[in-house]
């Protein structure tokens, strides 16, 4: 992972909201400082876990500008710049570059966009003109487009296209992407140690909002190829990472982070807070992590 620009834990950080549903920038700064202190290697701003789809364009751009300024080079910065219009993706990407972001994460065209390989290649070629490293996004269950190994090899020929985040949840499919030699990042929380063993170049990890120190310890152990240590750490993480992947992912991350002292308020509407009957199961799954995770934010 040492030759890749985004190794380790790239935290898909939650976006904190106040009681009125507005972005709470004071709290956002506190969270960033807490996660930096916990050792996270990078941040994904305006991530899916950070409710990108429920932020306006201006809110997302302001969030990226603010976050990058607070981080100030102490960790890498990836900004999600996904949008329906390619012109808007380029606009957001140019803005991220001006803010000092190290790269951008971009969904392929979605909601009745092109599904043929050439259409996907043309889309990312347009985004590449903004001049920032691009991380593509493979989440076929959500957008209806699969980044296959053959497509990934073609995308890697585009200037600035450096990686793909795989959130398919299919380890065999992700391993196939990694075998192309193009850096592949894992985005499926229950697969973390297996993906790292299979050659994932880095992690984009929403569940790490709840247990950043433990997640960083696992990534560092994997980078040093201390697989026995990885296995022991994963025993504590596996129950919660499997639980949140079963449904209500964003709501679960917000609730779990709050339980662990990294509260970001409630998710923004139309998402509701996690149902009360699911809280105890989440709390039980997090219990083995409490001793290691002592939030200071």
């Amino acid at each position: 992972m040492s030759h890749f620009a985004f190794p380790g834990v790239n935290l898909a950080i939650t976006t904190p909201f106040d009681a009125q549903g507005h972005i709470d920038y004071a709290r956002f700064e506190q969270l960033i400082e807490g996660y930096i202190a916990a050792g996270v290697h990078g941040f994904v701003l305006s991530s899916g876990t950070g409710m990108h789809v429920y932020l306006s364009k201006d809110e997302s751009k302001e969030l990226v500008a603010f976050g990058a300024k607070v981080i100030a080079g102490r960790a890498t910065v990836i900004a999600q710049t996904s949008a329906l219009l390619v012109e808007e993706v380029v606009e957001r990407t140019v803005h991220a570059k001006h803010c000092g972001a190290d790269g951008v994460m971009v969904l392929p065209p979605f909601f009745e966009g092109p599904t043929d390989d050439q259409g996907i290649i043309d889309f990312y070629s347009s985004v590449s003109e903004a001049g920032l490293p691009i991380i593509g996004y493979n989440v076929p269950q959500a957008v209806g487009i699969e980044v296959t190994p053959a497509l990934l090899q073609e995308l890697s020929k585009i200037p600035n296209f450096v990686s793909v985040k795989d959130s398919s949840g299919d380890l065999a499919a992700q391993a196939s992407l990694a075998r192309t030699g193009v850096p592949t990042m894992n985005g499926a929380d229950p697969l973390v140690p297996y993906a790292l063993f299979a050659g994932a170049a880095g992690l984009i990890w929403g569940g790490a909002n709840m247990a950043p120190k433990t997640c960083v310890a696992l990534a560092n152990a994997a980078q040093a190829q201390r697989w026995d240590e990885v296995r022991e750490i994963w025993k504590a993480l596996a129950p919660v990472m499997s639980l949140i992947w079963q449904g209500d992912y964003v709501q679960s991350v917000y609730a779990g982070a709050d339980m662990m002292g990294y509260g970001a308020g409630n998710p923004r509407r139309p998402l509701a807070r996690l149902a009360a009957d699911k809280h105890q199961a989440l709390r039980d799954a997090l219990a083995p992590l409490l001793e290691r995770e002592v939030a200071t934010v």
Side-chain angles (χ1 to χ4, degrees), residues 6-272:
F6 306 104
V9 176
N10 294 277
L11 179 69
I13 187 172
T14 55
T15 298
F17 299 103
D18 62 23
Q20 289 72 44
H22 302 132
I23 296 175
D24 186 341
Y25 284 101
R27 183 57 179 162
F28 193 43
E29 182 171 3
Q30 292 174 341
L31 289 174
I32 289 171
E33 293 296 344
Y35 288 128
I36 288 176
V40 299
H41 307 97
F43 289 85
V44 184
L45 306 178
S46 196
S47 66
T49 310
M51 306 209 61
H52 176 83
V53 71
Y54 298 120
L55 301 175
S56 70
K57 178 176 70 172
D58 288 343
E59 284 178 321
S60 178
K61 290 169 72 174
E62 184 176 359
L63 188 78
V64 168
F66 183 89
K69 184 177 181 180
V70 172
I71 295 165
R74 294 177 291 168
T76 55
V77 173
I78 300 166
Q80 179 167 197
T81 58
S82 301
L84 287 173
L85 296 175
V86 65
E87 293 83 3
E88 184 177 331
V89 178
V90 173
E91 176 191 341
R92 289 172 180 249
T93 302
V94 169
H95 172 265
K97 182 179 181 180
H98 290 163
C99 292
D102 299 290
V104 293
M105 182 177 72
V106 182
L107 282 165
F110 54 97
F111 193 65
E112 300 184 358
T115 58
D116 61 293
D117 283 5
Q118 191 57 52
I120 308 305
I121 293 167
D122 291 345
F123 168 79
Y124 280 113
S125 294
S126 295
V127 179
S128 76
E129 296 174 5
L132 265 185
I134 299 167
I135 300 166
Y137 202 153
N138 187 43
V139 55
Q141 65 271 30
V143 301
I145 297 168
E146 181 182 4
V147 179
T148 63
L151 176 55
L152 180 58
Q153 287 177 317
E154 291 303 310
L155 290 172
S156 70
K157 299 175 184 177
I158 298 172
N160 299 315
F161 192 99
V162 299
S163 182
V164 65
K165 173 193 176 185
D166 178 62
S167 295
S168 68
D170 185 334
L171 181 60
Q174 185 178 141
S176 294
L177 293 174
R179 285 196 297 271
T180 66
V182 181
T184 300
M185 303 181 75
N186 176 66
D189 296 21
L191 299 184
V192 166
Y194 317 107
L196 289 170
F197 188 78
L203 307 166
I204 294 180
W205 200 348
N209 282 280
M210 300 180 289
K213 296 176 184 177
T214 310
C215 294
V216 167
L218 184 147
N220 288 344
Q223 187 168 13
Q225 298 188 2
R226 298 193 301 269
W227 298 110
D228 288 345
E229 183 178 344
V230 170
R231 184 166 53 248
E232 287 304 309
I233 295 172
W234 185 243
K235 287 180 182 178
L237 284 169
V240 68
M241 296 303 160
S242 296
L243 178 64
I244 64 176
W245 199 254
Q246 295 171 15
D248 297 328
Y249 179 86
V250 172
Q251 301 96 312
S252 297
V253 171
Y254 270 76
D258 183 64
M259 293 175 190
M260 302 295 281
Y262 293 92
N266 293 324
R268 177 174 270 183
R269 295 185 301 175
L271 294 186

Side-chain angles (χ1 to χ4, degrees), residues 264-287:
N266 293 324
R268 177 174 270 183
R269 295 185 301 175
L271 294 186
R273 62 191 304 174
L274 188 68
D277 62 348
K278 297 183 178 182
H279 267 255
Q280 191 57 52
L282 181 58
R283 194 177 298 277
D284 290 345
L286 285 167

